[in-house]
Amino acid sequence: MENNKIKVSVVVAGQRFTILTDKSEKYVRDIASEIDARINSLVVSSNMTRERAAVLTAMDYADDSVLDRENIAAVKEQIKDYVQEIERLQDNNAKLVSDYNLLKAEYERLIEERQTAQNFEENAKKALDDSQAQIASLQEQLKKANEQIDSLKNQQTADDDIPLPEEAPEEQEKPITAEDDLFFDPEEEEVIKPEKKKKNRHEHHHVNPYQQKAKDKEQKGYTQQRQYSFFELDE
C-alpha cells in the first residue's frame, strides 16, 4: 500500500504541510485549498487567530462528516426498504406471471374447445345436409313407387271393367234319323276338335255338341248297317 502512496505539499493557514496519500495530487490540493479558504474567511470576518479559525473549520468538517454519515445511514435504511419493496414486487410479479401462465393456458384451452366445437358444428351441419338429401331422395323414390302402385291399381280396375264375351247358345242335339244310320260310319266320321283357347277365369266350360254326339255313339258300339243302296255299278 505504501508503495502506491504519493507525497503532496500543501499550504493551509500559512503553514506548509507534506501529505502522504494514495489519492491523486489534485484531489489533495483541492481539499487543502477549500480548508485554507474557510480558515481565511473566519480570520477576516471574525478577527480571530488562524489557530481558532482552523479549529472551527475542523469542527465544521467534522459536523458535515457526521451529518453525511447519518444521511448515508438513512439512505441505507431507505435503500433497504427499497430492496424489501423490490423483493415484494418481485414475488408479486412472480405470482402475476404464474397467474398469467394459468390464464394463458386456460385461454388456449378455450380456443381449442371453441375450434373443436366449430368443427363439430360443421360436421353436424354437413351430416344434417346429407341426411336431408337422402330423405329427399327416399321421398322421391316413395312418390314414384306410389305412382306406380296407383297406375297398377288403375290398370287392374280397367281390366275388371272389360265386359266378358257372351256365351254361345247351346245347340240342341239333333235327333238321329234312319237316314243318318244308313251313312254313319264311326271310323270315317270326322271328329271336330274345338280350338284350344286360353283359359279365362271368367270363361265357362262349353261342350261341343258334335264331339259329344260322336263320343256317345262310340260308347254305345253303334255301327252302320247298310240295308239299302241307292247306287249301282255298271259292269
Side-chain angles (χ1 to χ4, degrees):
M1 295 288 295
E2 295 182 356
N3 295 330
N4 296 327
K5 291 183 177 182
I6 60 174
K7 293 180 179 182
V8 180
S9 179
V10 295
V11 176
V12 176
Q15 297 183 9
R16 182 174 294 275
F17 299 92
T18 301
I19 305 299
L20 184 63
T21 180
D22 55 359
K23 304 293 184 181
S24 66
E25 182 177 355
K26 182 178 182 303
Y27 177 78
V28 175
R29 290 185 182 280
D30 289 339
I31 292 177
S33 176
E34 183 177 353
I35 293 174
D36 185 63
R38 280 196 178 191
I39 292 173
N40 292 331
S41 175
L42 289 174
V43 170
V44 172
S45 61
S46 301
N47 294 321
M48 63 179 59
T49 63
R50 290 181 182 274
E51 289 78 6
R52 292 177 63 88
V55 172
L56 291 176
T57 301
M59 292 183 68
D60 289 339
Y61 273 98
D63 182 54
D64 293 339
S65 178
V66 171
L67 293 176
D68 290 340
R69 285 196 299 270
E70 291 177 356
N71 291 334
I72 290 172
V75 170
K76 285 182 179 180
E77 288 294 329
Q78 189 174 5
I79 291 174
K80 185 178 179 180
D81 294 338
Y82 289 158
V83 169
Q84 291 177 354
E85 181 68 16
I86 290 172
E87 291 177 353
R88 187 185 66 80
L89 292 175
Q90 286 178 347
D91 293 338
N92 190 25
N93 183 55
K95 185 177 181 302
L96 292 176
V97 170
S98 178
D99 294 341
Y100 169 77
N101 291 331
L102 292 176
L103 292 175
K104 183 179 179 181
E106 182 68 14
Y107 173 77
E108 292 177 353
R109 186 184 66 81
L110 292 175
I111 291 296
E112 184 177 358
E113 288 183 355
R114 180 181 179 184
Q115 185 65 33
T116 303
Q118 289 179 351
N119 294 335
F120 177 79
E121 183 179 359
E122 292 176 358
N123 294 332
K125 184 178 180 181
K126 183 178 179 181
L128 179 61
D129 294 339
D130 294 340
S131 300
Q132 290 178 349
Q134 292 179 359
I135 292 173
S137 177
L138 292 174
Q139 288 178 347
E140 185 66 22
Q141 293 179 8
L142 180 61
K143 181 179 179 182
K144 291 181 179 180
N146 290 331
E147 291 177 354
Q148 292 179 357
I149 293 172
D150 294 339
S151 177
L152 293 175
K153 287 182 179 179
N154 294 333
Q155 184 177 358
Q156 184 177 2
T157 303
D159 292 341
D160 294 340
D161 294 339
I162 296 175
L164 298 176
E166 297 181 358
E167 297 181 358
E170 295 184 0
E171 295 183 2
Q172 297 180 357
E173 184 176 355
K174 185 179 180 181
I176 301 175
T177 61
E179 186 178 357
D180 295 331
D181 294 338
L182 293 176
F183 297 97
F184 178 75
D185 187 358
E187 296 180 357
E188 294 181 356
E189 184 178 9
E190 181 180 3
V191 179
I192 302 174
K193 296 181 180 181
E195 294 182 359
K196 292 183 179 181
K197 298 194 303 181
K198 295 182 179 179
K199 292 183 179 180
N200 193 317
R201 60 189 178 92
H202 301 287
E203 182 179 0
H204 300 283
H205 180 68
H206 299 285
V207 180
N208 191 317
Y210 299 100
Q211 185 178 5
Q212 184 66 36
K213 181 179 179 181
K215 182 183 289 187
D216 293 340
K217 289 181 178 181
E218 183 177 359
Q219 289 177 354
K220 293 177 181 181
Y222 189 88
T223 58
Q224 182 181 4
Q225 298 180 358
R226 294 182 181 274
Q227 297 178 0
Y228 306 98
S229 175
F230 294 97
F231 302 97
E232 293 180 0
L233 295 176
D234 185 10
E235 297 180 355

